[in-house]
Amino acid sequence: MNEQLEKLDYDIIEFIKNNPNIHKDKIREHFPNIESLDERLMLLSRSEQRQDIQGRPLKNKAGYIISLSKLDTSFHPSNNYTGEYKISGKGKRVLQDHKIRLIEDRKSFWMKSILTPIGVSIATTILALIITWIVTKQILK
C-alpha cells in the first residue's frame, strides 16, 4: 500500500494497537463520525501482493492491520473473517515513524516560530546596548 496515510488512519491504527483483537463494531463505536470506516479498514488491512523475477507469487506482506479469521478444522486460516483486527509489524513501524515525525515537526516549529525570533531580539538588544554605550562614552569625553 503506497498511498499516503491521513491523520485519521494513524488514529485508527493507534486505537487497534491499544486494543488488540478488537471487533469492527467497537472501532465504529470509538469513531462514530467516520463514514468511510469500512473502506479505511479495508485499505489498512490490504496486503501487498509480491512476485519474484519470474512472476511467481511470493509470500504476501501484511497491511498495517490484520483482519483476523477463524481456523478451519485442519487449523489453517479460512476466509471466515471474525470482524476483528490487530496491528501488524508494518503498522507498528509506520506508527512509530509517524510519532517521530510529529516530534521532529514540533521541534522545528518551536525553533522557527518561537526560539529564533527570541534569539534575534535578544541579540539585537545586546547590540543596541553596546552601540549606545560606545556612543555615550564618546559624547561624554
Side-chain angles (χ1 to χ4, degrees):
M1 185 155 122
N2 291 331
E3 54 266 355
Q4 284 287 94
L5 295 178
E6 300 294 331
K7 181 185 181 322
L8 212 46
D9 296 321
Y10 290 113
D11 292 344
I12 292 169
I13 295 170
E14 177 80 28
F15 181 72
I16 291 172
K17 176 183 172 242
N18 294 335
N19 303 284
N21 300 351
I22 188 160
H23 197 271
K24 185 191 297 188
D25 294 337
K26 296 278 187 186
I27 299 171
R28 192 173 280 116
E29 285 175 20
H30 188 76
F31 298 102
N33 298 328
I34 302 177
E35 295 175 13
S36 61
L37 183 64
D38 290 333
E39 182 182 345
R40 286 182 185 273
L41 289 173
M42 182 193 67
L43 289 173
L44 290 172
S45 64
R46 188 172 58 195
S47 61
E48 190 178 313
Q49 307 295 325
R50 301 182 314 152
Q51 297 177 344
D52 65 7
I53 296 173
Q54 284 82 28
R56 293 180 298 220
L58 295 172
K59 183 178 177 187
N60 294 338
K61 279 186 153 183
Y64 301 110
I65 57 177
I66 300 169
S67 56
L68 302 176
S69 60
K70 296 178 184 176
L71 295 177
D72 63 15
T73 55
S74 60
F75 297 101
H76 290 89
S78 67
N79 289 334
N80 298 329
Y81 294 106
T82 62
E84 295 178 338
Y85 293 90
K86 70 176 186 176
I87 191 167
S88 68
K90 183 179 180 180
K92 289 177 185 176
R93 181 180 49 85
V94 77
L95 201 56
Q96 185 178 25
D97 291 347
H98 174 68
K99 288 179 180 181
I100 290 170
R101 204 173 320 111
L102 285 178
I103 291 169
E104 289 173 353
D105 289 348
R106 283 189 196 123
K107 284 181 187 175
S108 175
F109 168 78
W110 279 99
M111 286 301 293
K112 290 179 183 174
S113 301
I114 308 291
L115 296 179
T116 301
I118 289 172
V120 168
S121 64
I122 289 172
T124 304
T125 303
I126 291 171
L127 187 60
L129 287 172
I130 291 171
I131 292 172
T132 305
W133 180 71
I134 291 172
V135 170
T136 305
K137 193 172 164 184
Q138 291 295 326
I139 292 174
L140 293 177
K141 271 189 173 182

